[in-house]
Amino acid sequence: MAEFTPSFDEMIQKEGGYKLTNITDDTGGRTYAGISQRYHPNWVGWSLVEADPDNAQLPSLVSDFYKKEFWNKVRGDDIQSQKVASCIFDFAVNAGIPTASRLAQKVIGADADGIIGSKTLQKLNTFDDALFIAEYTLQKIARYAQICNKNSEQKKFLLGWINRALEGVDGISVR
């Protein structure tokens, strides 16, 4: 079964590490270690970030947040392949749990309800890993294109999103 820590370590690097950012036109707004204050205003770490963004307690709070809010909700512990679990987890962080789950379900031919349940897990755990990663990557890129087609202000993020999607495919990226 997949383990949280390696998936988390990969994801936190993609999120830029333990930094406080506020990128213009980023729909997530102000973030710390990729945690959006807009979408997660009640995260317990915000008070520490405000007082001291280098507080030694923050990495643990960040890890706990991602495990509870993303990894557990995509049932990462129940996915057999580490690569598949990491890929779904990372996209859930980037695009939301329902979107990540629906795209995974679409790839494996499961009912795309946006919730990874026992039927989805059964299909996911018997699907070829390499084929899943390839098809899921294409689905992610299509999703990013859809976002940019709906809102041209988001086009400045497209190359970064594509790079993030491709990093799960044997280290390939577009520069």
Side-chain angles (χ1 to χ4, degrees):
M1 294 299 176
E3 296 178 16
F4 171 70
T5 301
S7 295
F8 172 79
D9 290 345
E10 287 177 25
M11 180 279 305
I12 201 68
Q13 288 180 351
K14 292 176 184 178
E15 287 293 334
Y18 299 92
K19 289 192 274 183
L20 183 62
T21 61
N22 193 7
I23 299 170
T24 305
D25 297 323
D26 181 349
T27 58
R30 188 170 187 247
T31 65
Y32 178 79
I35 300 171
S36 165
Q37 193 169 29
R38 176 179 177 201
Y39 296 115
H40 304 285
N42 297 321
W43 174 55
V44 297
W46 285 119
S47 61
L48 292 177
V49 169
E50 298 297 332
D52 176 14
D54 296 319
N55 186 300
Q57 294 177 330
L58 284 167
S60 176
L61 292 174
V62 167
S63 176
D64 292 348
F65 168 83
Y66 280 112
K67 181 141 182 17
K68 178 183 174 203
E69 297 298 326
F70 293 93
W71 180 260
N72 291 347
K73 291 181 180 177
V74 299
R75 305 219 17 216
D77 289 335
D78 297 321
I79 298 171
Q80 290 179 358
S81 167
Q82 186 70 46
K83 284 187 173 189
V84 169
S86 292
C87 192
I88 294 171
F89 168 66
D90 181 68
F91 193 55
V93 168
N94 190 244
I97 296 156
T99 298
S101 299
R102 273 193 298 277
L103 291 186
Q105 291 166 324
K106 184 176 176 181
V107 168
I108 62 173
D111 181 31
D113 63 3
I115 300 167
I116 296 182
S118 58
K119 290 179 185 178
T120 298
L121 280 170
Q122 180 185 18
K123 286 187 173 197
L124 191 61
N125 286 332
T126 58
F127 203 86
D128 179 81
D129 293 356
L131 182 58
F132 176 84
I133 298 292
E135 291 188 18
Y136 195 64
T137 299
L138 291 173
Q139 290 292 326
K140 291 189 288 186
I141 292 170
R143 173 71 177 144
Y144 294 138
Q146 181 183 42
I147 290 169
C148 293
N149 287 333
K150 285 184 179 179
N151 180 353
S152 63
E153 291 291 317
Q154 298 300 301
K155 287 182 181 180
K156 64 180 146 196
F157 301 117
L158 184 59
L159 183 58
W161 289 336
I162 291 171
N163 277 323
R164 184 174 182 148
L166 290 174
E167 284 175 8
V169 185
D170 295 326
I172 298 170
S173 64
V174 179
R175 297 286 174 205

